[in-house]
Amino acid sequence: MALTDESPLRTDGGTDGGDGVDDASPAADGGLPTGPVPPDDETPTWSDRKARTTGLSRLTYEYFERARYEDQTVRQSSDYVERDVLAFPTWPHETVRNLSIASFFVGMILFLSATMPPHIGAPANPSQTPAIILPDWYLYWSFGLLKLNPLNPDLAILGGQKIMADRTYGVLANGVVVGFIAIVPFLNKGSARRPVEEPFWAAVGVAGVVFALTISLLAVKNLVPMNVDLLFDLTFLLPIVFGTVTYAVLKTMREGYMYNLNRRYYRLRPPK
């Protein structure tokens, strides 16, 4: 039974319902107490229990309504014009929201798996090597780096032989790419959060994404209806082109953007 102002908490563990009778004490006839637990002849039915159950949809609605109300309250009582950062407890606010999002995506996965089951091909033949060997799609970029043998130079001092095998050259190329990705956070230590504030690093990011796509196409060049030499050239030209265009566009937008951003900031929070 919920405690209210009319039913204060007793020090001996029981509650006083306001009529002077301890709800937690045995009944006068020697039976069981009838406090929060109903007797056998008053057990709620399944429909009654379901009507009092708070489902996920109701919890989600209450979460967003409370978030809106608390945000409105803080805005009205705050001295700042800009939005103040709010924080909500993990339970039930963040838990309900995460459960809603997770339930949606799990439902979509179950729906897709039920409507579009994967095709099971013929059993593998251990005595025959497949004509085309490919890794999983998210490793195409790494597999494509193993096919950079045209870039492996032939040295005249070695009689036209290569200084290292093509496979070794591809493995080193993987190390160079992964090392560059790992060192970028240490090179870019700025506090910018928008691409227009850092045109150079935004261009580097776009070039990297385009290179990952083009090198993945190079990995499956046997399946791409394009000249192999042209595909190899586009693998390195397209990232440079996209990166240059991105840098030029963001650099052009930078001046006007920073001016509008600073004007908005000082209009909302004028300096003292």
Side-chain angles (χ1 to χ4, degrees), residues 188-194 197-198:
N188 180 21
K189 298 182 179 180
S191 58
R193 297 185 178 182
R194 301 168 180 85
E197 298 177 12
E198 287 287 350

Tab-separated table of all heavy atoms in Angstrom, residues 188-194 197-198:
chain	number	residue	atom	x	y	z
A	188	ASN	N	44.593	16.082	-35.368
A	188	ASN	CA	43.492	17.037	-35.316
A	188	ASN	C	43.016	17.165	-33.881
A	188	ASN	O	42.217	16.378	-33.400
A	188	ASN	CB	42.353	16.572	-36.228
A	188	ASN	CG	41.189	17.547	-36.211
A	188	ASN	OD1	41.350	18.710	-35.857
A	188	ASN	ND2	40.017	17.079	-36.604
A	189	LYS	N	43.513	18.158	-33.183
A	189	LYS	CA	43.169	18.367	-31.778
A	189	LYS	C	42.242	19.560	-31.586
A	189	LYS	O	42.104	20.084	-30.478
A	189	LYS	CB	44.435	18.578	-30.946
A	189	LYS	CG	45.373	17.374	-30.953
A	189	LYS	CD	46.593	17.627	-30.079
A	189	LYS	CE	47.518	16.421	-30.062
A	189	LYS	NZ	48.711	16.641	-29.215
A	190	GLY	N	41.616	20.034	-32.642
A	190	GLY	CA	40.719	21.173	-32.539
A	190	GLY	C	39.417	20.805	-31.856
A	190	GLY	O	39.089	19.630	-31.652
A	191	SER	N	38.659	21.825	-31.494
A	191	SER	CA	37.380	21.644	-30.817
A	191	SER	C	36.204	21.825	-31.759
A	191	SER	O	35.070	21.953	-31.306
A	191	SER	CB	37.255	22.641	-29.653
A	191	SER	OG	37.367	23.977	-30.127
A	192	ALA	N	36.450	21.875	-33.065
A	192	ALA	CA	35.367	22.078	-34.031
A	192	ALA	C	34.472	20.848	-34.070
A	192	ALA	O	34.932	19.720	-33.948
A	192	ALA	CB	35.941	22.357	-35.417
A	193	ARG	N	33.177	21.098	-34.224
A	193	ARG	CA	32.206	20.009	-34.290
A	193	ARG	C	31.487	19.942	-35.621
A	193	ARG	O	30.693	19.036	-35.844
A	193	ARG	CB	31.163	20.180	-33.173
A	193	ARG	CG	31.736	20.093	-31.771
A	193	ARG	CD	30.641	20.152	-30.738
A	193	ARG	NE	31.168	20.025	-29.381
A	193	ARG	CZ	30.416	20.015	-28.283
A	193	ARG	NH1	29.114	20.136	-28.397
A	193	ARG	NH2	30.971	19.893	-27.095
A	194	ARG	N	31.734	20.887	-36.494
A	194	ARG	CA	31.048	20.945	-37.779
A	194	ARG	C	32.085	20.936	-38.890
A	194	ARG	O	33.145	21.540	-38.742
A	194	ARG	CB	30.166	22.188	-37.873
A	194	ARG	CG	29.098	22.239	-36.783
A	194	ARG	CD	28.450	23.602	-36.732
A	194	ARG	NE	27.435	23.665	-35.694
A	194	ARG	CZ	27.688	23.932	-34.422
A	194	ARG	NH1	28.936	24.162	-34.043
A	194	ARG	NH2	26.717	23.972	-33.536
A	197	GLU	N	33.747	24.208	-40.043
A	197	GLU	CA	34.720	24.849	-39.167
A	197	GLU	C	36.130	24.306	-39.396
A	197	GLU	O	37.109	24.961	-39.027
A	197	GLU	CB	34.311	24.649	-37.704
A	197	GLU	CG	32.965	25.272	-37.360
A	197	GLU	CD	32.556	24.988	-35.925
A	197	GLU	OE1	33.414	24.514	-35.150
A	197	GLU	OE2	31.387	25.222	-35.577
A	198	GLU	N	36.253	23.118	-39.949
A	198	GLU	CA	37.550	22.519	-40.259
A	198	GLU	C	37.506	21.954	-41.673
A	198	GLU	O	37.358	20.745	-41.887
A	198	GLU	CB	37.887	21.409	-39.254
A	198	GLU	CG	38.271	21.906	-37.881
A	198	GLU	CD	39.666	22.524	-37.860
A	198	GLU	OE1	40.389	22.397	-38.867
A	198	GLU	OE2	40.027	23.124	-36.837
